[in-house]
Amino acid sequence: MSYRFEAGRIYRTPTHFGPAPGPRQLPDGITSDPKRSPRRLSVAASFLTKAALLERHLPEGFTLAGEPVVTVEFHYMTAIDWLAGRGYTMIEASWPVTFTGRHEHATGRFLAVVWENLADPIITGRGEVGQPKLYAEIAEPRYWEGAHTCNAGWMGFRFLDLAVSDLRDEQRPPNKAPSDGTLMLKYIPRTGAWGEAELQQVTLTPASNPDMTIERQQTGVGTVRFHHAAWSDLPTMYHVVNALAELPVIEPRGGSVISSRGGKSLRDQRVLT
Amino acid sequence: MSYRFEAGRIYRTPTHFGPAPGPRQLPDGITSDPKRSPRRLSVAASFLTKAALLERHLPEGFTLAGEPVVTVEFHYMTAIDWLAGRGYTMIEASWPVTFTGRHEHATGRFLAVVWENLADPIITGRGEVGQPKLYAEIAEPRYWEGAHTCNAGWMGFRFLDLAVSDLRDEQRPPNKAPSDGTLMLKYIPRTGAWGEAELQQVTLTPASNPDMTIERQQTGVGTVRFHHAAWSDLPTMYHVVNALAELPVIEPRGGSVISSRGGKSLRDQRVLT
Amino acid sequence: MSYRFEAGRIYRTPTHFGPAPGPRQLPDGITSDPKRSPRRLSVAASFLTKAALLERHLPEGFTLAGEPVVTVEFHYMTAIDWLAGRGYTMIEASWPVTFTGRHEHATGRFLAVVWENLADPIITGRGEVGQPKLYAEIAEPRYWEGAHTCNAGWMGFRFLDLAVSDLRDEQRPPNKAPSDGTLMLKYIPRTGAWGEAELQQVTLTPASNPDMTIERQQTGVGTVRFHHAAWSDLPTMYHVVNALAELPVIEPRGGSVISSRGGKSLRDQRVLT
Amino acid sequence: MSYRFEAGRIYRTPTHFGPAPGPRQLPDGITSDPKRSPRRLSVAASFLTKAALLERHLPEGFTLAGEPVVTVEFHYMTAIDWLAGRGYTMIEASWPVTFTGRHEHATGRFLAVVWENLADPIITGRGEVGQPKLYAEIAEPRYWEGAHTCNAGWMGFRFLDLAVSDLRDEQRPPNKAPSDGTLMLKYIPRTGAWGEAELQQVTLTPASNPDMTIERQQTGVGTVRFHHAAWSDLPTMYHVVNALAELPVIEPRGGSVISSRGGKSLRDQRVLT
């Protein structure tokens, strides 16, 4: 007798061994406290670039919202509930957009690409949430002479450096434009019909994140640099890194270092139509 | 101006930076010789188990074909064309099945789960091909006192040991039942509608692999052992490992060590209906 | 013209490229603040064992001082000055001893073995300081359900688990017996005369550590377990791990979790005669 | 009762747990076949540089022997007996010298620095043999478009690239000058007396290696490049890498790719006086 899928339970390939434990489905009997998990050190830097270049990397239905400012964030996370207290690191590159669908529209940050140094959240994030996650080797955070230094690479090719220096404590909450949340494109290729899409949809992470508490917030001078790669350096993603490396830094727009705890499971992720 | 997808080109999330280089789409100007790439050391062991237990891990439409024999293979690959000559390792667990769809049926090996130690082919394999790939840390192959020893773990928890000893060279080609190829289930969860499937389809890797050449083939005594895990040991896949650990080894069914070169890109992967 | 050693500068093999930067010799122009570097999370657990078994692992001149209590500590360090702000992790196993030399005697903890997950401090520590450092893969600290969980392995074989749970904040400083510091044996084998020693001397890290500040201190229930290994599991140190695994845990003696900053370079390390 | 050292047995820090298993001392009952272990893929490239610059990196008693040609070799080793069949990679940088001691003289290659990607042989090699071993992350060998590509880094900073292309099979044995073997300097700093040496001696690996068999030998075009580093990139060895990066490549002197099996334990290592 073959197996049946249980209704209302999240599955993930391979589905043959039962519902899948993960960020949005802890095993029975495991409880988690979203006010305490995860702990997060976030180091971010932004820069103004050319609008026309950013637009080339926007899917249909998206337009830039305000200034063409790219933000790159390193999130060093620990004490993650769904990993039984382990951690990993996530890098996000985004810029502000408005999406206009047939029935809905939303303004927020466009999550263009994410890198993580653990395959498990890449698998869950791509499949369940639609996040554009790729893999990178990400060094542990480095703190030296008052600066946080971050970098990422792949098989020995370092493609991203970011630093935030001249830190000063900041009492005001982060100065953010009103936002509906984070927008991204979930895309699944069609097996066998190469070049066709099985699925292509815009998904949204709503901005609300009530269980997150900022413990310390600093601002400073931020620098970010992507390094141009040959195909043989990054044979699965040189096109991604090079597109970002080609964005001119017209003006730095500052950096920040934020320590926080708490978060959400993204069970509120939804498709925009 | 937002971007348009180019017709006939394979894309992968994030799609915003152009068509994606990968196993089935090398950049223009890059040629590859499928008769030489990759090089592969394959170490495999099989065992007879209980049919009723295997059937519990078969999706609808599948039945066991012949004896309930589980095969676990470690494929240590190097000189991979689409990785510009790099390598990685793949573990496959499979058993023989027949699939009966509405219009088609096929007999072959059911690829129940795959582990790989590189995220890039996990991403391409899950999305483009439908392979049930997960991540594992896989030790380099170990050869000592005439035995090949293989193991795999995740964040320090070793979940799989396999060995093939008492090796003797084998002149005959591997004794394989007639097969249509390798069968698997491509499953994509639906974002927001947790527990629902966006896509669920059976895909087939046809058996034909004309560019592959076996350079050396040995047979021997094989042992394979999965180690039972707590959720906190393997919080994203303890259910997978434990299901395999619970399969009784009624009888070992031998092992093999094969050195080969050449392969295919799986552009012939197709959906069965 | 061959090179000459510069007087008063620390060298390390290979010496041919000039004085060696390291923990006790920063390059000119690099300053460091020992009150701030490193940051350290220390997770420790102790147990009472049999005196006779511990004594078998004491070199000549050493006797147990007080109860035969073994302490195992994981020190997760970040923002290390001599690594330009990077971090690494150190595991120490020790018990209380008195050393009586020809001219000096000292009481303190006997540092029986150290494991670290970075080769650089292993090299400097063994050669310059005489610390008994070996290499291990050490997982990032894991915090889950109020417990800190630590483990260490080597090439996929996990040989040490430690946890501290039921944590409560502790206001009093750590209750430590008066101590002259940490004692260890520096031993250098003689090349070519296999089995002979080139150097064998007792060295002491004096207890004083004035730049270190404890930021938070918790006590709790501690457990520690070494796992018995075959030679093929740990071919360079199964004898070390097995000796520790064979020490019976007569009684747990508690655990602690301490966050601190600041430290010292061990320039005060000295030979006891 | 404290322990006594057993006569004639090799010890290594920590000595407290008995004689140390390692390359030159396998446990009782473990046998090894030096004609089969290890297996080795060696990729090497040489270049002519300025004699005066090389001489600056020669210790007292050494002079250049013949042309100032630097050779860099990557040795990818597997099936290593003393690691129970595991492998690791070693990089060697050397040039030809003559050593004149008080009583002996020898001509051979001067092993200036070694990098390895496993701490265990670094520990045994530095202490027992006197090899100038440091740690590096070394990518698996990459073979693409008829070229072998090798590289090494440390915590994300790549400091060495080497490639050998245009390979042709070579029937003649490697064309080597008569050599007494490999020369190196064993140096142990004195604890507490910072800047003084506890031990400084020249050691020799005799050239004879009768159990090694070359299985395939190719020659080709070799390139080697060291990358200049800041202290913060390589805080324990920027001085080593920069000294090598500053050697001008006056003329490439070819590359080679050699597959071999068998070797020796270096029990024949001896001190030159």
Side-chain angles (χ1 to χ4, degrees):
Chain A
M1 263 310 283
S2 59
Y3 68 85
R4 304 277 163 145
F5 286 84
E6 296 176 34
R9 306 295 299 277
I10 299 174
Y11 281 80
R12 207 160 53 229
T13 300
T15 56
H16 325 309
F17 307 98
R24 282 157 290 286
Q25 184 170 266
L26 293 177
D28 293 343
I30 304 292
T31 54
S32 120
D33 181 351
K35 291 195 186 307
R36 294 184 166 275
S37 169
R39 302 193 67 85
R40 191 185 287 237
L41 173 70
S42 300
V43 183
S46 301
F47 63 91
L48 180 72
T49 189
K50 276 177 75 170
L53 286 177
L54 276 193
E55 282 168 342
R56 283 190 206 164
H57 304 302
L58 284 180
E60 228 179 322
F62 286 83
T63 53
L64 284 177
E67 282 192 311
V69 171
V70 175
T71 298
V72 178
E73 301 163 59
F74 281 67
H75 298 282
Y76 303 93
M77 294 179 289
T78 57
I80 297 174
D81 53 6
W82 64 273
L83 290 173
R86 295 173 183 84
Y88 69 93
T89 298
M90 175 167 65
I91 304 170
E92 298 182 322
S94 63
W95 48 83
V97 294
T98 292
F99 169 69
T100 307
R102 286 194 191 171
H103 309 97
E104 296 175 278
H105 62 98
T107 291
R109 62 176 195 142
F110 176 64
L111 190 59
V113 58
V114 178
W115 285 277
E116 296 186 330
N117 63 355
L118 186 67
D120 302 73
I122 294 174
I123 291 171
T124 60
R126 290 178 71 95
E128 297 171 20
V129 179
Q131 290 158 327
K133 291 183 170 184
L134 301 173
Y135 182 84
E137 297 151 7
I138 307 174
E140 287 296 296
R142 193 175 134 205
Y143 181 69
W144 173 247
E145 295 200 327
H148 287 271
T149 305
C150 310
N151 67 66
W154 184 90
M155 289 232 187
F157 182 85
R158 193 194 291 194
F159 65 79
L160 172 57
D161 286 292
L162 184 150
V164 182
S165 60
D166 300 289
L167 294 167
R168 57 184 175 280
D169 277 283
E170 184 70 65
Q171 304 311 329
R172 296 166 303 177
N175 178 16
K176 286 188 172 166
S179 168
D180 296 311
T182 300
L183 292 143
M184 63 206 76
L185 187 74
K186 184 176 181 181
Y187 177 95
I188 307 289
R190 177 163 289 169
T191 299
W194 306 111
E196 294 181 20
E198 193 70 70
L199 177 74
Q200 186 176 337
Q201 60 191 196
V202 176
T203 75
L204 171 76
T205 309
S208 167
N209 197 1
D211 290 330
M212 188 202 185
T213 304
I214 291 180
E215 298 187 327
R216 187 181 187 186
Q217 183 190 340
Q218 295 171 292
T219 54
V221 173
T223 59
V224 50
R225 183 164 170 218
F226 286 92
H227 300 284
H228 198 274
W231 166 74
S232 59
D233 293 322
L234 298 177
T236 62
M237 57 181 184
Y238 76 112
H239 63 308
V240 177
V241 167
N242 287 352
L244 296 168
E246 283 156 19
L247 297 174
V249 176
I250 295 176
E251 189 182 280
R253 285 297 176 90
S256 67
V257 177
I258 296 176
S259 298
S260 67
R261 60 179 156 78
K264 65 178 180 179
S265 72
L266 305 194
R267 270 226 166 220
D268 58 349
Q269 186 81 3
R270 66 187 189 84
V271 177
L272 293 185
T273 57
Chain B
M1 262 310 282
S2 59
Y3 67 86
R4 304 278 163 144
F5 286 85
E6 296 176 34
R9 306 295 299 278
I10 299 174
Y11 282 80
R12 207 161 52 232
T13 299
T15 56
H16 326 309
F17 307 97
R24 283 157 290 285
Q25 186 170 267
L26 292 177
D28 294 343
I30 305 290
T31 54
S32 119
D33 181 350
K35 291 194 185 308
R36 293 183 168 276
S37 168
R39 302 193 66 85
R40 190 185 288 236
L41 172 70
S42 299
V43 183
S46 300
F47 64 90
L48 181 72
T49 190
K50 278 178 73 170
L53 285 176
L54 277 192
E55 283 167 342
R56 282 190 207 164
H57 304 302
L58 284 180
E60 227 179 324
F62 286 84
T63 54
L64 282 177
E67 283 191 311
V69 171
V70 175
T71 297
V72 178
E73 302 164 59
F74 281 68
H75 298 282
Y76 301 94
M77 295 179 288
T78 56
I80 298 174
D81 52 6
W82 64 273
L83 289 173
R86 296 173 183 82
Y88 69 93
T89 298
M90 175 167 64
I91 303 170
E92 297 182 323
S94 64
W95 49 84
V97 294
T98 293
F99 169 69
T100 306
R102 288 195 189 170
H103 309 97
E104 297 176 277
H105 62 97
T107 292
R109 64 176 194 140
F110 176 64
L111 191 58
V113 59
V114 178
W115 285 278
E116 296 186 330
N117 63 355
L118 187 66
D120 302 73
I122 295 174
I123 291 170
T124 60
R126 290 178 71 96
E128 297 172 20
V129 179
Q131 291 158 326
K133 292 183 170 183
L134 301 175
Y135 182 83
E137 297 152 5
I138 307 176
E140 287 296 296
R142 193 176 134 205
Y143 181 69
W144 174 246
E145 294 200 327
H148 287 271
T149 305
C150 311
N151 66 66
W154 185 88
M155 288 232 188
F157 182 85
R158 194 195 289 195
F159 65 79
L160 173 57
D161 286 293
L162 184 149
V164 182
S165 60
D166 300 288
L167 294 167
R168 55 185 178 280
D169 276 285
E170 185 69 67
Q171 303 309 330
R172 296 166 303 176
N175 179 16
K176 286 188 173 164
S179 167
D180 296 313
T182 300
L183 293 143
M184 64 206 75
L185 187 74
K186 185 176 182 181
Y187 178 95
I188 307 289
R190 177 163 289 168
T191 299
W194 306 112
E196 295 180 21
E198 192 69 71
L199 177 73
Q200 186 177 338
Q201 61 191 193
V202 176
T203 75
L204 172 76
T205 310
S208 167
N209 198 0
D211 290 330
M212 188 203 186
T213 304
I214 291 180
E215 298 188 326
R216 186 179 188 187
Q217 183 190 341
Q218 295 171 292
T219 54
V221 174
T223 59
V224 49
R225 183 163 172 220
F226 286 92
H227 300 284
H228 198 273
W231 167 73
S232 59
D233 293 322
L234 299 176
T236 63
M237 57 182 183
Y238 76 114
H239 63 307
V240 177
V241 167
N242 288 352
L244 295 168
E246 283 157 17
L247 297 174
V249 176
I250 295 177
E251 190 181 279
R253 285 297 175 90
S256 68
V257 177
I258 296 176
S259 297
S260 66
R261 61 179 156 79
K264 65 178 180 179
S265 72
L266 306 195
R267 270 226 167 220
D268 57 350
Q269 186 81 3
R270 67 187 188 83
V271 177
L272 293 185
T273 56
Chain C
M1 260 313 279
S2 58
Y3 66 85
R4 304 277 163 143
F5 286 85
E6 296 176 35
R9 306 294 299 277
I10 299 174
Y11 281 80
R12 206 160 54 230
T13 300
T15 55
H16 325 310
F17 306 98
R24 281 157 291 285
Q25 185 170 267
L26 292 178
D28 293 342
I30 304 292
T31 54
S32 122
D33 181 350
K35 292 194 185 309
R36 294 183 167 276
S37 168
R39 302 193 68 84
R40 190 185 289 236
L41 173 69
S42 300
V43 183
S46 301
F47 63 92
L48 181 71
T49 190
K50 277 178 75 170
L53 286 177
L54 276 193
E55 283 167 342
R56 282 190 207 165
H57 305 303
L58 284 181
E60 229 180 321
F62 285 84
T63 53
L64 283 177
E67 282 192 309
V69 171
V70 175
T71 298
V72 178
E73 301 164 59
F74 281 68
H75 298 282
Y76 302 94
M77 294 179 288
T78 56
I80 297 174
D81 52 6
W82 63 274
L83 290 173
R86 296 173 183 83
Y88 70 93
T89 298
M90 175 167 63
I91 303 170
E92 298 181 322
S94 63
W95 49 84
V97 294
T98 294
F99 169 69
T100 307
R102 286 196 191 170
H103 309 97
E104 296 176 277
H105 62 98
T107 292
R109 63 176 195 142
F110 176 64
L111 191 58
V113 58
V114 178
W115 284 278
E116 297 186 329
N117 63 355
L118 187 66
D120 302 72
I122 295 174
I123 291 171
T124 59
R126 290 179 70 97
E128 296 171 21
V129 179
Q131 290 158 326
K133 292 183 170 184
L134 301 174
Y135 182 84
E137 296 152 6
I138 307 175
E140 286 296 296
R142 193 175 134 206
Y143 181 69
W144 173 247
E145 294 199 326
H148 287 271
T149 305
C150 310
N151 66 67
W154 184 90
M155 288 232 187
F157 182 85
R158 194 195 291 195
F159 65 79
L160 173 57
D161 286 293
L162 184 150
V164 182
S165 60
D166 300 289
L167 294 167
R168 56 184 178 279
D169 277 284
E170 185 69 67
Q171 304 310 330
R172 296 167 303 177
N175 179 14
K176 286 189 173 165
S179 169
D180 295 313
T182 300
L183 293 142
M184 63 206 77
L185 187 73
K186 184 176 181 181
Y187 177 95
I188 306 289
R190 178 163 290 169
T191 299
W194 306 112
E196 295 180 21
E198 192 69 70
L199 177 73
Q200 186 176 338
Q201 60 190 195
V202 176
T203 75
L204 171 76
T205 310
S208 167
N209 198 0
D211 289 331
M212 187 201 185
T213 303
I214 291 180
E215 297 187 326
R216 186 181 188 186
Q217 183 191 341
Q218 295 171 292
T219 54
V221 174
T223 59
V224 50
R225 183 164 170 217
F226 286 92
H227 299 285
H228 198 273
W231 166 74
S232 59
D233 293 322
L234 298 176
T236 62
M237 56 181 184
Y238 76 114
H239 63 307
V240 177
V241 167
N242 288 353
L244 295 168
E246 283 156 18
L247 298 174
V249 177
I250 294 176
E251 189 181 280
R253 285 296 175 91
S256 67
V257 177
I258 296 177
S259 299
S260 66
R261 59 178 158 79
K264 65 178 179 179
S265 72
L266 306 195
R267 270 222 167 223
D268 56 351
Q269 187 81 3
R270 66 186 190 84
V271 177
L272 293 185
T273 55
Chain D
M1 261 311 281
S2 59
Y3 67 85
R4 302 278 163 144
F5 286 84
E6 296 177 35
R9 307 294 300 278
I10 299 174
Y11 282 80
R12 207 160 53 229
T13 301
T15 56
H16 326 309
F17 306 98
R24 281 157 291 286
Q25 184 170 268
L26 293 177
D28 293 343
I30 304 291
T31 54
S32 120
D33 182 350
K35 291 194 185 310
R36 294 184 167 277
S37 169
R39 301 193 68 84
R40 191 186 287 238
L41 173 69
S42 299
V43 183
S46 300
F47 62 91
L48 180 72
T49 190
K50 276 178 75 170
L53 286 177
L54 276 193
E55 283 167 343
R56 282 190 207 165
H57 304 302
L58 284 180
E60 228 179 322
F62 286 84
T63 53
L64 283 177
E67 282 191 311
V69 171
V70 175
T71 298
V72 178
E73 302 163 58
F74 281 68
H75 298 281
Y76 302 94
M77 295 180 288
T78 57
I80 298 174
D81 52 6
W82 64 273
L83 289 173
R86 296 173 183 83
Y88 69 93
T89 298
M90 175 168 64
I91 303 170
E92 297 181 322
S94 63
W95 49 85
V97 294
T98 293
F99 169 69
T100 306
R102 287 196 190 170
H103 309 98
E104 297 176 278
H105 62 98
T107 291
R109 63 177 193 139
F110 176 64
L111 191 58
V113 59
V114 178
W115 285 277
E116 296 187 328
N117 63 355
L118 187 67
D120 302 72
I122 295 174
I123 291 171
T124 61
R126 290 178 70 96
E128 297 172 21
V129 179
Q131 291 158 326
K133 292 183 170 184
L134 300 174
Y135 182 83
E137 297 152 5
I138 307 175
E140 286 296 296
R142 193 175 134 206
Y143 182 69
W144 173 248
E145 295 199 326
H148 287 271
T149 306
C150 311
N151 65 66
W154 184 89
M155 288 231 187
F157 182 85
R158 193 195 292 194
F159 65 79
L160 172 58
D161 286 293
L162 183 150
V164 183
S165 60
D166 300 288
L167 294 167
R168 55 185 178 279
D169 277 284
E170 186 68 66
Q171 304 311 330
R172 297 166 302 177
N175 180 15
K176 286 189 174 166
S179 168
D180 296 311
T182 300
L183 293 143
M184 63 206 75
L185 187 74
K186 184 176 181 182
Y187 178 95
I188 307 289
R190 178 163 289 169
T191 299
W194 306 112
E196 294 181 21
E198 192 69 70
L199 177 73
Q200 185 176 339
Q201 61 190 194
V202 175
T203 75
L204 171 76
T205 309
S208 168
N209 197 1
D211 290 330
M212 188 201 185
T213 303
I214 291 180
E215 298 187 326
R216 187 181 188 186
Q217 183 191 340
Q218 296 171 291
T219 53
V221 174
T223 59
V224 51
R225 184 164 171 218
F226 287 91
H227 300 284
H228 198 273
W231 167 73
S232 60
D233 293 321
L234 299 176
T236 63
M237 56 181 184
Y238 76 113
H239 62 308
V240 177
V241 167
N242 287 353
L244 295 167
E246 283 156 19
L247 298 174
V249 177
I250 295 177
E251 190 181 278
R253 285 296 174 92
S256 68
V257 177
I258 296 176
S259 297
S260 66
R261 59 178 157 77
K264 64 177 180 180
S265 72
L266 305 195
R267 269 224 168 222
D268 57 351
Q269 186 81 4
R270 66 186 189 84
V271 177
L272 293 184
T273 56

